[in-house]
Amino acid sequence: MQRVNRLLRDPEFIGYMQKNKDAEKDRVYCRHDLAHALDVARVGCILKLEEKLEIGKALIYAAALLHDIGRWVQYESGVGHDTAGAALAEGLLQKHGFSADETKDILEAIGGHRSGGGNTPLGRILYRADKLSRNCVGCDAIKTCKRFLNGEEPFLQY
C-alpha cells in the first residue's frame, strides 16, 4: 500500500481530483471525489474477499482511486471519463512503481469501468464496486436520478 499512499500524495493526482471538485461544484447528483474513490476501493476489497479472488489490495485501491480522475475532461471536452482517466492514470502508475502488467490491468479496468469491467477480474470488481459504493439510500436527488427513473428502490448491499 506504500505505492497507493504515494499516489494519494501526488500533486498531479491531487490536481485532477481538484479539477473534478471544481467541475462538480453545482452537481446535485453523486460526485466523483476522493470519498467516492475510497468507497469503491473498500467495496472492491470486500468483493475480492467474498469471491476469494487473487487480486492484490494495492491494485484494487489504485484502480479505484484513478477510475474517475478524467471526469473533469468529460465535462470540458465530452471525451468519456473512462478513456480520459486511463490516459491520465498511465503516467501516475508508472511513476509510483506499478509494473507493466499491473499498469495494463489497472488501465483496462479503468477503461472498462462504465461498461461491465472488461475481461479481467479487476475490471469486473471495479465496475461492480463503483455501482455498489453509492449511498443512494436517503439521497435527496433520487427522484430525478437516472438510476431510478423506472421506480426502482435503492437497496443497501455494502
Side-chain angles (χ1 to χ4, degrees):
M1 290 293 285
Q2 289 178 350
R3 299 177 294 177
V4 171
N5 280 288
R6 286 194 308 267
L7 175 63
L8 280 167
R9 293 187 298 269
D10 186 286
E12 190 177 358
F13 171 76
I14 293 167
Y16 294 147
M17 297 305 281
Q18 183 62 50
K19 287 182 177 202
N20 279 356
K21 183 177 181 179
D22 294 344
E24 293 184 336
K25 68 182 181 304
D26 297 323
R27 185 175 166 90
V28 298
Y29 300 106
C30 296
R31 298 199 173 152
H32 302 86
D33 55 12
L34 184 58
H36 169 61
L38 290 171
D39 288 344
V40 171
R42 291 178 180 126
V43 171
C45 284
I46 292 169
L47 293 171
K48 161 208 151 61
L49 292 171
E50 287 180 348
E51 298 173 17
K52 297 174 179 55
L53 298 172
E54 296 293 324
I55 305 170
K57 181 169 73 168
L59 267 61
I60 293 172
Y61 267 82
L65 288 171
L66 296 170
H67 82 283
D68 282 335
I69 62 170
R71 190 68 186 202
W72 63 275
V73 175
Q74 184 170 331
Y75 292 128
E76 287 185 5
S77 70
V79 172
H81 73 275
D82 47 349
T83 302
L88 295 172
E90 186 170 12
L92 287 167
L93 291 166
Q94 292 169 351
K95 184 184 346 181
H96 294 291
F98 289 86
S99 72
D101 286 341
E102 290 172 328
T103 297
K104 180 180 177 281
D105 287 347
I106 293 168
L107 295 178
E108 187 174 326
I110 293 169
H113 86 270
R114 295 173 67 198
S115 60
N119 296 321
T120 66
L122 178 60
R124 290 188 295 274
I125 289 290
L126 182 63
Y127 172 78
R128 290 174 46 221
D130 190 26
K131 304 294 182 229
L132 293 168
S133 68
R134 292 298 189 177
N135 187 16
C136 301
V137 177
C139 175
D140 292 335
I142 199 164
K143 290 182 179 165
T144 58
C145 178
K146 66 182 179 183
R147 290 182 70 181
F148 300 98
L149 289 179
N150 294 322
E152 299 93 335
E153 293 288 326
F155 180 78
L156 181 64
Q157 190 167 348
Y158 294 97

